[in-house]
Amino acid sequence: MCTTDGVSVTAEAMAPAGWSVPVPAGACTSNQWTSGIGSTMAQTDKPTQKKFPGDVEETHPEIFNLSAMPPQSEEKKPGQLPDHMIKQFFEQGYVIVDSFFKKEELDACREAIEVLVDDLANMLYTGGKIKSLYKQYGLFERLTHIEREFPGANIILHKQGKLPQAFRDLWSNSRLLNVVEQLIGPEIMGHPVWNLRTKTPQNEATTVPWHQDCAYLDNRSYEVLQPTSWIPLLDANEKNGCMEVAARGHQKGKVATHQCCWGGTWYVMLEEEEMAKTLDVDLKKDVVLCPVPYGGMLLINNMIPHRSLANMSEDIRWSLDLRWQRPDKSVGFYDLKNGVLMRTKANPDLKIDWDSFEGVDRHIAAVEEMRKDSFPEAEDPRFDTTIQGPWMRKWEMVHMNRHTDTLSNDASSWHKN
């Protein structure tokens, strides 16, 4: 086991990174996560390589490939995509929509982020963590300057998990839900994990490794299609760290073996050798760069391997990732928080109960559960820049850093048989 120290100063991952969510008392144990999906340990008298809770043998290609595509109506609703794009989503595992949102819809999100950054700056300034509010800088520079003085500031922003009205409006946008309906049908629930991502320039910790989103959720998610819309709030390209996907890597309907944690971060990682062996990914042919202009989005499913590249520009690459699924399926979020119903066939104009959804803060719940599991409380949680979560128990711990220091030194306490 490697015990190299690491430093993480951002909360960026296309994957649902930054979920500070331990397993609560009475929730799913490691064995329960895999119940009905596959055994977590090989039962044999001969020595075998140890398996961890995330490793299962069963596959569910029919949930993610073209056979899962709902019937498409000839008469399209506003915003709905042509059939060939929906078909690509199921065949390739992704589709880029270059132009979708109205400028005012995304501009409102930019303005909301400016308020969030201002609130963060004031909190850090009042707490004696920074000596300047850096008000002279704009949306794409201010957090970078704050973070230079207080490394990890954007992790704090990420963990606050505030859902401004502009974000709510975007997530429940009727045109966007019409597209989601093309992917999963008319019964639509927002997944409890949504994220505001920041990718500060030239930051080692924001180079997110290959992974499948299911690797961060409990194993019940292995049997649920959860489409994600990744929405950049500026033109996203190779220079500022857009996404890459491994096309068709979802076709087997299987989660490959991941490891934890990558470098000085809290991220799980999927080795390219494992990706090729288990998911039949041809790294020379299947890796696709996914630049997305402002106003567009990248749609992916929760089984396709993907990563984000390093931001080598001068600007922060802000983005949102929003998720949905059918409401009759488990969200796979360790029983910490439920989704939010957004639309039904009987009531397509459903009034969304945002208050109940926001009544449970997944990060606060995580901190409380960490304490139950003998994790020490941060000296001042407001300024804590570390992240832990139950995905660390799902996979082999091959690298320790400041995010994992609060975990037991006994690996068996994380990876129960």
Side-chain angles (χ1 to χ4, degrees):
M1 177 181 296
C2 177
T3 57
T4 305
D5 289 334
V7 177
S8 174
V9 292
T10 186
E12 162 57 30
M14 183 61 218
W19 299 351
S20 305
V21 283
V23 180
C28 294
T29 65
S30 299
N31 286 334
Q32 288 171 325
W33 296 351
T34 56
S35 177
I37 299 178
S39 174
T40 62
M41 292 292 294
Q43 301 298 320
T44 175
D45 294 333
K46 297 181 180 180
T48 59
Q49 183 177 358
K50 182 177 181 180
K51 284 196 173 185
F52 294 87
D55 285 317
V56 299
E57 297 301 325
E58 291 189 26
T59 62
H60 301 279
E62 74 285 352
I63 294 174
F64 303 95
N65 64 20
L66 189 59
S67 61
M69 178 175 165
Q72 302 296 303
S73 175
E74 293 184 6
E75 185 176 346
K76 301 299 182 188
K77 296 179 180 179
Q80 287 192 326
L81 304 178
D83 290 358
H84 75 272
M85 296 184 77
I86 301 301
K87 186 177 180 181
Q88 179 185 327
F89 176 86
F90 287 98
E91 288 185 332
Q92 303 293 316
Y94 78 98
V95 66
I96 298 173
V97 185
D98 286 329
S99 179
F100 185 82
F101 299 102
K102 299 175 183 177
K103 184 177 183 298
E104 55 266 29
E105 292 169 343
L106 297 189
D107 285 352
C109 293
R110 284 181 170 183
E111 293 169 3
I113 295 172
E114 288 180 328
V115 173
L116 294 176
V117 174
D118 192 61
D119 290 345
L120 174 66
N122 279 286
M123 184 187 75
L124 293 174
Y125 183 81
T126 303
K129 303 300 182 181
I130 58 176
K131 297 179 180 179
S132 172
L133 293 174
Y134 300 101
K135 286 189 174 182
Q136 67 269 38
Y137 297 100
L139 174 63
F140 298 102
E141 301 88 21
R142 188 179 182 186
L143 185 58
T144 300
H145 289 275
I146 293 172
E147 190 166 308
R148 285 174 183 165
E149 189 172 353
F150 186 73
N154 55 4
I155 295 178
I156 295 175
L157 179 59
H158 173 79
K159 287 166 64 172
Q160 287 176 346
K162 295 181 179 179
L163 188 61
Q165 188 62 49
F167 294 4
R168 296 181 182 186
D169 293 342
L170 193 70
W171 197 0
S172 60
N173 180 295
S174 61
R175 295 173 60 253
L176 184 55
L177 292 184
N178 287 342
V179 174
V180 176
E181 186 174 314
Q182 291 181 283
L183 304 176
I184 62 174
E187 308 289 328
I188 301 173
M189 178 173 67
H191 194 274
V193 177
W194 66 273
N195 292 292
L196 169 64
R197 309 289 188 176
T198 174
K199 197 176 186 71
T200 47
Q202 302 178 44
N203 190 323
E204 180 182 16
T206 63
T207 306
V208 182
W210 287 110
H211 66 280
Q212 296 165 284
D213 282 349
C214 282
Y216 285 93
L217 298 174
D218 73 49
N219 291 9
R220 292 171 294 180
S221 68
Y222 295 7
E223 299 183 70
V224 185
L225 175 60
Q226 297 168 334
T228 295
S229 174
W230 184 77
I231 307 166
L233 297 174
L234 76 172
D235 291 339
N237 51 49
E238 183 174 11
K239 184 177 182 181
N240 64 18
C242 68
M243 306 301 298
E244 279 189 332
V245 301
R248 296 175 296 281
H250 70 297
Q251 286 281 2
K252 295 185 74 171
K254 180 176 178 58
V255 177
T257 298
H258 291 62
Q259 297 171 322
C260 192
C261 291
W262 183 76
T265 76
W266 57 92
Y267 306 142
V268 299
M269 54 187 173
L270 174 58
E271 298 287 356
E272 291 187 345
E273 180 181 353
E274 167 69 9
M275 198 158 59
K277 179 183 71 173
T278 304
L279 305 178
D280 296 335
V281 170
D282 186 328
L283 294 166
K284 294 182 179 180
K285 298 179 180 179
D286 295 337
V287 175
V288 180
L289 186 72
C290 298
V292 181
Y294 186 55
M297 63 178 170
L298 169 67
L299 293 171
I300 61 173
N301 68 45
N302 47 318
M303 276 289 176
I304 189 170
H306 58 285
R307 66 178 177 180
S308 75
L309 303 177
N311 181 359
M312 303 306 294
S313 74
E314 298 298 321
D315 292 330
I316 299 168
R317 193 223 68 192
W318 295 99
S319 65
L320 287 163
D321 51 271
L322 309 172
R323 295 174 176 80
W324 305 264
Q325 67 169 66
R326 286 174 45 180
D328 61 335
K329 302 292 184 180
S330 170
V331 298
F333 195 49
Y334 307 94
D335 296 329
L336 279 175
K337 184 173 181 175
N338 294 322
V340 55
L341 191 62
M342 292 187 170
R343 176 181 287 186
T344 68
K345 184 176 182 180
N347 190 0
D349 299 316
L350 178 77
K351 182 178 180 180
I352 299 174
D353 186 0
W354 292 111
D355 291 340
S356 295
F357 180 71
E358 289 220 84
V360 179
D361 186 314
R362 72 180 195 256
H363 300 291
I364 292 177
V367 170
E368 292 175 349
E369 294 299 337
M370 287 283 190
R371 295 174 192 162
K372 294 178 183 178
D373 206 17
S374 301
F375 290 90
E377 181 180 0
E379 182 176 342
D380 189 336
R382 294 178 303 161
F383 306 119
D384 179 26
T385 61
T386 64
I387 288 175
Q388 300 83 28
W391 65 88
M392 293 175 173
R393 295 186 179 92
K394 284 189 63 173
W395 307 108
E396 181 181 8
M397 185 69 67
V398 298
H399 182 245
M400 300 288 288
N401 56 50
R402 68 191 185 94
H403 298 277
T404 64
D405 283 346
T406 54
L407 297 171
S408 166
N409 290 326
D410 180 4
S412 66
S413 67
W414 320 326
H415 306 294
K416 298 177 182 178
N417 296 339

